[in-house]
Amino acid sequence: MSGGLLIAGTTSDAGKSVLTAGICRWLARRGVKVAPFKGQNMSLNSFVTREGAEIGRAQAMQAQAARVEPTALMNPVLLKPGGDRSSQVVLLGKPVGELSAQGFFGSARPGEPGRAVSGGRREALLEPVLDCLARLRATHDVVVCEGAGSPAEINLRRTDIVNMGVARAAGLPVLVVGDIDRGGVFASFFGTTALLAPEDQALVAGYVVNKFRGDVALLRPGVEMLRSLTGRHTYGVLPYVGGLGIDEEDGLRSSLRGAVREPVVAPPVGEDVLRVAVCAVPLMSNFTDVDALAAEPGVVVRFVDRAEELADADLVVVPGTRGTVRALAWLRERGLADALLRRAAEGRPVLGVCGGYQLLGERIEDEVESRAGTVAGLGVLPVRVRFAAEKTLARPSGSALGEPAEGYEIHHGVAEVLGGEPVFTDAGGRALDGCRVGPVWGTHWHGSLESDGYRRAFLTEVARAAGRRFVPAPDTSFGLLREEQLDRLGDLVEEHADTEALLRLIERGAPPGLPFLPPGAP
């Protein structure tokens, strides 16, 4: 088969990422060569491809669902927020600078707040976005595109490069997914469609209801009334399923909801559980690093923002952040910095990852990210960090604690290690990354704990330092758990979507003659 599809949503977090991944896995299991795509993503959860390109973790996860290697083509524009009003723009996997929201979306004429003067930088990105999509379509049978937010953001439609702008330019049929668990899903479907221009409405083929609880027969009258009102088919009613364990774009709530993060309660192998507290620092990035810890039976992971919540933790993790200096100030303001210093002095385990590693050092020189100049770190690791203009993007591998390990690096900070022991070394024992002083560890490597042998060895060290009779399970495979979750997404589509209608939609496009719903776009 050949064709394409765009998954839009009534809101953010409606289920676009889940449905896109589920369709990718379902098609891959049918032998279809399928690829995911998202023209523009805004996320602090990113990933590094084999060629050294930075893309959203959601697209990397969807590539795994499709059983293909992730590439920069799958997410040509990535925005990484650095505050409420500015983001780093990553184009085709490489950072090209910081831009304010006004600079990205365009300014407005006095008295005409809804009209953009130039479209800012965003409008100019449509051409490379469409080029990437065309290149993917040339090498794959099907490309499943994910939209962003809602396609009915009428203030942003003229410069849209991720929702209907892509669908119209590429002639893609569109499915709108809505979260019925939030309520108001029928109004959301109708209103989303009715706020689109006639040319856009002609591509909206129908809807998918997500997170339905109860007897689907009770929903059928509503689905039939929706069809009579809109002339559009509902392609599936997906049930509410807890613990899907996929990499969401952003949001702490999303992280805590996944199956790997909310596993079926399994008893610990040893006599004790191991409690892990993750400091919920501002602009937290790649918090998915702790998913592999939560996958272990007997490991309890929670996110915290108060000093007293560290008291009973056996391990404290300071995760990555897009604002290292800001996160350091936040830790100090809340008393968490003093709690971390006490832990280090008492020989209790602490792990810093990327930005969390940097702030555990002695000094930070930052004229790039925060432009704060020289700032004193917590001083628990003999490390000095200088922020470089060029971002490090890498997929390193090595060994630690006698076990193979690999990860990925995304950082501007360059660490000068003045003592301690390296965390990761090469085959000859030469330092690759990180610093360890007793039970305090720091590394730039994201994702290293997904290496099963290293994770078990690390947790054994943590348990020993914490005085816990905890024993890692000998057979936990994070990669296998992830594959099981992706298969569950494929099962959702196969079992609860109208797959024959979905195949026709992908191959033939939106049905002709779909009715226009007034009033349309203003």
Side-chain angles (χ1 to χ4, degrees), residues 18 73 193 201 219 223 235 264 275 345 354 416 427 478:
V18 168
L73 296 177
T193 309
Q201 287 195 26
L219 192 67
V223 169
Y235 284 76
V264 175
R275 295 174 176 84
C354 201
E416 179 187 4
F478 185 80

Side-chain angles (χ1 to χ4, degrees), residues 361-452:
E362 298 173 352
R363 187 176 72 197
I364 300 168
E365 298 177 24
D366 182 11
E367 298 292 349
V368 175
E369 188 175 77
S370 68
R371 297 181 173 85
T374 300
V375 177
L378 295 185
V380 295
L381 289 175
V383 174
R384 295 176 182 173
V385 175
R386 177 184 54 81
F387 274 66
E390 184 174 350
K391 181 185 283 190
T392 296
L393 297 170
R395 287 282 294 272
S397 62
S399 63
L401 301 176
E403 298 287 345
E406 60 182 19
Y408 56 99
E409 294 185 61
I410 308 169
H411 55 92
H412 284 278
V414 178
E416 179 187 4
V417 181
L418 305 173
E421 305 172 21
V423 175
F424 298 104
T425 60
D426 63 14
R430 292 178 292 271
L432 290 177
D433 179 77
C435 178
R436 177 188 180 186
V437 175
V440 180
W441 309 60
T443 176
H444 275 128
W445 289 18
H446 293 289
S448 61
L449 292 169
E450 296 179 18
S451 301
D452 297 326

